[in-house]
Amino acid sequence: MIDSLNNNNGHEFKAAPTFGAPIIANQLADLIVDESFFEDDIFSHRQYRVLKQRFSPGMATRMLDSLSGHPNITGVQSTIKKQKRGEVKGYMLDQNTRERMGRLGNFLADVTKISDQVILPQTDEELACLGLHTIEAMASNRPLTISTPVCPDWSRDFEGRYDFKSLGDGESFIAKKLFAGIPELLNIFNKHGIPYKGFVIFADWGLETEIDAKGTFGEKLSADEIRKRFQQSFDATKAHLEALKQAPLTAAVFGPYEIVSMTEYFAASGRDIPEIEGSLRGFFQQDSQGKRLADQLNSASLSLNQERLGVNEVENKAMILQTLVEYGTLGQVVDNHGIIAACESTTSSRAYNLPRGKYDKVPLFYIKGKDPVDRGVNIL
């Protein structure tokens, strides 16, 4: 297909897109999820059926409506399609959009093949937003942002859980888990021509700065020593990232990455962080869904935090609330063309999206890791 022509004056004209026969929402799954993308075995057939079922008519309608009204996408138009039972809303897709739909399905199919290491976004709302962001990135070449928060070098217990008993000066376990676990996912982005820009966000903000930190020998650390170790941990993480950007086997996937402190990340967003925190504090204390998550985390973490931090139930509830507010704040600040690749708690990570609108979610990939101890990390 010829996308553009030049006239005698050298001006470029965009050729009008050629649309095929209109489809309705319940046909989108057939267009995106093709069985040929999957291997011929029982596990792959199951993955195919599960993925196809996730493109429900409601989710497909939302995705197609968003595409048809998108300022950067011209290949989707809504229309009315006549059927035996009457008129229904239909969508005409040009050939480029149909090709991108296929690439999206192939991308999702490839991610299911590494489901032992990476979990796809779990809600239909997140999946719809992922589909929209991915197709926009293909059409406009505007990179998706992939954000991952990592913590300083806190100690862990023998089960691999953070116990916060000491603060080191090296790279954190979460950062190491990210660098080891995300390349296969990034390779899939590259394979299907989905541009991205990665951010490793170093947590130098909030509760991370309020823990009563000790050194590796149990000595209490001064505020200056804590700041020094935070900086050393940041520098160690940055050095590892720079090495990955130069190494032949990882340069292609980590080339678009950079590390930034959470303080800088929030400042660059231009958002009113105290206002966001105040709103989220009310959400997790008063909204039924928010309060349910806070109660769930409090029950799950109380005995653990009593042991590792010496807190009582009132103190634990306050700490859980602050944790959820901080997760939610990052979820609010990530831009509307971004995703989160999380490496820590699958439960706390729900706070990234819970306060956001139904179809205004940040798609969340969860990096499980390759080792059983990796998968045990849950900071609650």
Side-chain angles (χ1 to χ4, degrees):
M1 174 184 288
I2 298 175
D3 290 323
S4 62
L5 298 170
N6 291 313
N7 68 5
N8 293 333
N9 296 321
H11 296 292
E12 184 179 66
F13 292 103
K14 293 290 183 181
T18 302
F19 293 93
I23 67 167
I24 58 176
N26 62 10
Q27 295 174 310
L28 184 65
D30 293 327
L31 189 62
I32 292 178
V33 187
D34 192 309
E35 193 168 7
S36 67
F37 298 155
F38 295 80
E39 301 295 328
D40 187 17
D41 58 68
I42 294 176
F43 176 76
S44 298
H45 282 299
R46 180 179 179 276
Q47 295 283 55
Y48 161 71
R49 291 194 301 272
V50 169
L51 183 59
K52 190 168 184 177
Q53 288 170 358
R54 293 192 64 184
F55 284 89
S56 64
M59 190 266 266
T61 297
R62 173 60 186 176
M63 183 174 165
L64 288 165
D65 282 343
S66 297
L67 288 170
S68 65
H70 201 287
N72 296 330
I73 297 173
T74 58
V76 182
Q77 293 183 0
S78 60
T79 185
I80 298 297
K81 184 176 181 180
K82 292 183 178 181
Q83 293 188 323
K84 291 182 179 179
R85 296 182 180 180
E87 295 181 340
V88 297
K89 190 172 186 178
Y91 302 88
M92 296 188 299
L93 313 179
D94 72 0
Q95 187 58 39
N96 287 333
T97 300
R98 289 173 179 268
E99 183 268 336
R100 291 175 191 127
M101 292 285 190
R103 285 166 60 195
L104 168 63
N106 211 337
F107 163 76
L108 295 174
D110 279 349
V111 177
T112 67
K113 296 172 187 176
I114 58 169
S115 60
D116 60 326
Q117 300 173 43
V118 177
I119 302 175
L120 268 170
Q122 291 295 285
T123 70
D124 288 349
E125 293 88 354
E126 288 180 43
L127 190 63
C129 291
L130 176 63
L132 176 63
H133 297 345
T134 302
I135 289 172
E136 182 192 354
M138 292 175 182
S140 66
N141 207 36
R142 177 188 172 199
L144 287 167
T145 60
I146 304 177
S147 302
T148 301
V150 301
C151 56
D153 187 20
W154 294 109
S155 59
R156 297 181 297 137
D157 64 19
F158 66 94
E159 293 184 26
R161 302 170 303 188
Y162 279 107
D163 59 18
F164 306 104
K165 292 187 181 299
S166 65
L167 175 63
D169 58 6
E171 183 181 7
S172 73
F173 176 76
I174 288 295
K176 293 175 183 176
K177 180 182 176 183
L178 169 68
F179 293 144
I182 203 172
E184 290 193 54
L185 176 62
L186 299 180
N187 276 325
I188 295 172
F189 275 89
N190 284 341
K191 174 183 175 182
H192 297 288
I194 304 169
Y196 63 85
K197 170 68 177 175
F199 292 96
V200 179
I201 306 172
F202 184 86
D204 63 341
W205 172 83
L207 278 177
E208 297 287 354
T209 66
E210 298 170 12
I211 296 174
D212 188 19
K214 297 179 174 62
T216 52
F217 298 104
E219 73 281 13
K220 182 175 175 59
L221 299 177
S222 67
D224 285 343
E225 184 61 30
I226 292 173
R227 282 192 293 271
K228 178 182 177 182
R229 294 197 181 197
F230 271 36
Q231 186 61 52
Q232 290 171 325
S233 186
F234 178 93
D235 291 343
T237 309
K238 182 177 181 179
H240 189 177
L241 176 59
E242 292 302 319
L244 291 168
K245 293 172 72 169
Q246 298 298 321
L249 293 178
T250 53
V253 296
F254 285 111
Y257 260 78
E258 65 178 87
I259 182 171
V260 62
S261 73
M262 191 168 286
T263 302
E264 293 173 317
Y265 186 82
F266 286 165
S269 74
R271 302 287 300 277
D272 187 334
I273 301 303
E275 181 181 357
I276 292 174
E277 289 181 289
S279 176
L280 290 173
R281 192 170 294 277
F283 174 84
F284 288 112
Q285 288 179 307
Q286 299 167 14
D287 180 88
S288 59
Q289 288 185 309
K291 190 174 183 301
R292 189 181 305 119
L293 178 58
D295 290 343
Q296 178 185 352
L297 280 168
N298 180 61
S299 297
S301 66
L302 180 58
S303 61
L304 175 63
N305 285 340
Q306 285 175 331
E307 176 186 348
R308 65 183 178 179
L309 297 174
V311 298
N312 59 37
E313 185 171 5
V314 172
E315 292 168 331
N316 194 64
K317 284 184 177 180
M319 188 170 63
I320 290 299
L321 175 61
Q322 184 60 29
T323 297
L324 292 176
V325 167
E326 292 178 8
Y327 273 70
T329 300
L330 179 60
Q332 293 291 313
V333 171
V334 171
D335 68 39
N336 288 330
H337 190 61
I339 65 177
I340 293 176
C343 292
E344 70 293 330
S345 166
T346 54
T347 309
S348 297
S349 293
R350 288 167 54 196
Y352 290 130
N353 272 311
L354 199 58
R356 295 179 69 106
K358 184 175 181 181
Y359 285 104
D360 183 32
K361 303 298 187 184
V362 179
L364 175 67
F365 288 83
Y366 185 75
I367 310 300
K368 293 195 289 187
K370 300 182 179 182
D371 185 274
V373 177
D374 294 357
R375 302 176 188 194
V377 171
N378 189 325
I379 65 172
L380 293 173

